[in-house]
Amino acid sequence: SNLALILNDRVYTMGWTATQQKILSIIPHFTALFSLFGSSYIIVTTLRDRKRWGTPFYRLLCAMCLVDLFNSIASGLSTWPIPVGTPGVYAPLGTVGTCEAQGFFVQAGIASPIYNFMLSVQFLLRTKYGWNERRIGRRVEPIMHAITIGFALGTSFLFLSLDLYNESSLWCWVNASPSGCNKNCGNASKVTTCERGASAEIYRWTFFYGPLWLCVVGCMVIMVMIFLDIRAKENKMKKYEFSILACHGENRTSAIERKKAEDEKRRHAQSRAVAYQALRYVGAFYLTWLFPTVNRVLQGSICHSYFWLMVMHTICSPMQGFCNFLVYIYPRNRDRIIQIATSFTNYFAWNSTKPDVDDPKTTAENT
């Protein structure tokens, strides 16, 4: 109806200019390429290394990257799959069918946050409870895959059957059609004129952002548990070393006791390294979903967002594969990365403080 189209133009396009609409449409084409590269690199290197593929951590990571791969492809298509003629959208070239296909894979991307949570659980079992990889692989890993894949595909097919995949400002996803028809965004008549997905908002928050932020909170709690456990073990080890020295003295400590203390230090160092790597993956997870969540909250609550926030959404949402790639290569390239970062920092610091050769005062002082 004309009312729905007016509502869509005035509210859900949020007053973006043609240039802004073009920017929001083009950015995902490029950010998704970074994610595709990062996810593909992790998958290929994992599959080529039998030792890595034999561990639950790398199999879970590989599954998460596979999800990110398909999600990046779907998000990277940006506005192209949106039906032709959709108002307020730059370069809509698709049909209802292409829009539903894109929305299906975007929704299936909920598996990625759940896999992030499963990775944190795996880290917790290894560091705090001392489970070995074989035990995790046999008892827990199949359940992790079943829950993650089952929820992602189940909700994706459910939404497809309910006609919930429609134009959603940046790409096709769970939304009512026409956009804004199920909201009172300056619509005094409060008349619902939705052709598809009138209850999309409920499903969006119940089956995507709700589980997403449960995973966020769950990861945060697990990280706290891991670091508290490591701290407690380190304090216990220090007390043990002090008691040995107090009883026997530094020179009289037996070789067996020294070896036992060294083994404990080595185990704690490994646990700490595992914990920090887990924290990096969680950090990549948070960076990916912070701006998209804030953006969708504003769109859902006040029917408005900000252009800079929309830009950050289009940058971060398709980029988790690349963020995971950076975390993946960090341990082996730590010194090189720190050296490059230090060089850049020193370069910019020197350029910001060096004297201006054209400044007469500086020239006079030097002469």
Side-chain angles (χ1 to χ4, degrees), residues 224-241:
V224 172
M225 292 175 63
I226 289 175
F227 280 97
L228 288 177
D229 178 69
I230 290 175
R231 184 177 180 182
K233 288 179 179 177
E234 288 178 345
N235 291 335
K236 184 178 179 181
M237 184 179 66
K238 290 178 181 178
K239 290 180 181 179
Y240 173 75
E241 291 177 344

Side-chain angles (χ1 to χ4, degrees), residues 29-223:
H29 298 322
F30 295 97
T31 54
L33 291 177
F34 285 96
S35 186
L36 284 172
F37 166 77
S39 298
S40 300
Y41 179 88
I42 295 175
I43 292 171
V44 170
T45 54
T46 300
L47 293 178
R48 292 176 62 182
D49 191 328
R50 291 185 179 182
K51 186 177 180 180
R52 289 184 179 180
W53 182 250
T55 61
F57 164 73
Y58 281 104
R59 288 194 294 266
L60 289 169
L61 179 62
C62 194
M64 183 176 70
C65 289
L66 188 62
V67 173
D68 289 333
L69 192 71
F70 285 105
N71 186 60
S72 297
I73 294 173
S75 300
L77 294 175
S78 189
T79 57
W80 290 344
I82 295 176
V84 174
T86 301
V89 177
Y90 175 77
L93 305 176
T95 63
V96 172
T98 60
C99 190
E100 289 182 331
Q102 183 186 38
F104 180 92
F105 285 104
V106 171
Q107 172 59 29
I110 188 61
S112 183
I114 300 176
Y115 267 125
N116 267 285
F117 174 73
M118 297 302 180
L119 282 173
S120 297
V121 172
Q122 184 265 161
F123 285 126
L124 179 68
L125 293 175
R126 286 181 59 187
T127 56
K128 181 177 175 61
Y129 297 104
W131 284 36
N132 58 37
E133 293 176 342
R134 186 176 181 182
R135 187 180 181 187
I136 295 174
R138 286 187 173 184
R139 295 191 179 184
V140 181
E141 185 188 355
I143 299 174
M144 291 178 169
H145 289 298
I147 292 174
T148 306
I149 297 173
F151 183 84
L153 292 182
T155 55
S156 296
F157 279 111
L158 173 65
F159 293 174
L160 183 63
S161 66
L162 296 175
D163 295 333
L164 295 180
Y165 298 130
N166 301 291
E167 178 267 321
S168 185
S169 67
L170 299 175
W171 40 65
C172 290
W173 185 47
V174 180
N175 197 24
S177 179
S179 292
C181 64
N182 58 341
K183 299 178 182 296
N184 181 27
C185 301
N187 183 10
S189 63
K190 300 183 181 181
V191 177
T192 299
T193 56
C194 297
E195 299 174 4
R196 293 163 53 93
S199 302
E201 200 70 17
I202 297 174
Y203 287 98
R204 173 188 289 189
W205 289 99
T206 303
F207 294 105
F208 192 91
Y209 281 109
L212 167 66
W213 280 92
L214 283 176
C215 292
V216 168
V217 174
C219 289
M220 189 181 302
V221 171
I222 289 175
M223 289 300 104

Side-chain angles (χ1 to χ4, degrees), residues 227-290:
F227 280 97
L228 288 177
D229 178 69
I230 290 175
R231 184 177 180 182
K233 288 179 179 177
E234 288 178 345
N235 291 335
K236 184 178 179 181
M237 184 179 66
K238 290 178 181 178
K239 290 180 181 179
Y240 173 75
E241 291 177 344
F242 178 79
S243 64
I244 292 177
L245 292 174
C247 292
H248 304 289
E250 185 174 356
N251 295 327
R252 297 178 58 190
T253 304
S254 67
I256 295 177
E257 288 171 336
R258 285 198 301 269
K259 187 176 185 305
K260 183 177 180 181
E262 290 174 358
D263 290 341
E264 282 294 318
K265 283 184 178 180
R266 190 178 301 110
R267 280 195 293 269
H268 289 316
Q270 292 174 349
S271 296
R272 180 174 283 274
V274 169
Y276 276 111
Q277 186 68 353
L279 187 62
R280 293 184 195 105
Y281 279 110
V282 172
F285 171 38
Y286 287 0
L287 178 63
T288 302
W289 290 106
L290 175 62

Side-chain angles (χ1 to χ4, degrees), residues 267-329:
R267 280 195 293 269
H268 289 316
Q270 292 174 349
S271 296
R272 180 174 283 274
V274 169
Y276 276 111
Q277 186 68 353
L279 187 62
R280 293 184 195 105
Y281 279 110
V282 172
F285 171 38
Y286 287 0
L287 178 63
T288 302
W289 290 106
L290 175 62
F291 295 105
T293 300
V294 174
N295 185 41
R296 293 303 187 187
V297 167
L298 291 178
Q299 288 180 325
S301 58
I302 63 173
C303 304
H304 179 69
S305 187
Y306 302 95
F307 180 69
W308 68 267
L309 188 58
M310 296 282 284
V311 169
M312 294 304 299
H313 187 161
T314 59
I315 292 174
C316 293
S317 186
M319 280 277 281
Q320 180 161 357
F322 185 71
C323 294
N324 290 333
F325 163 76
L326 295 178
V327 175
Y328 180 80
I329 66 172

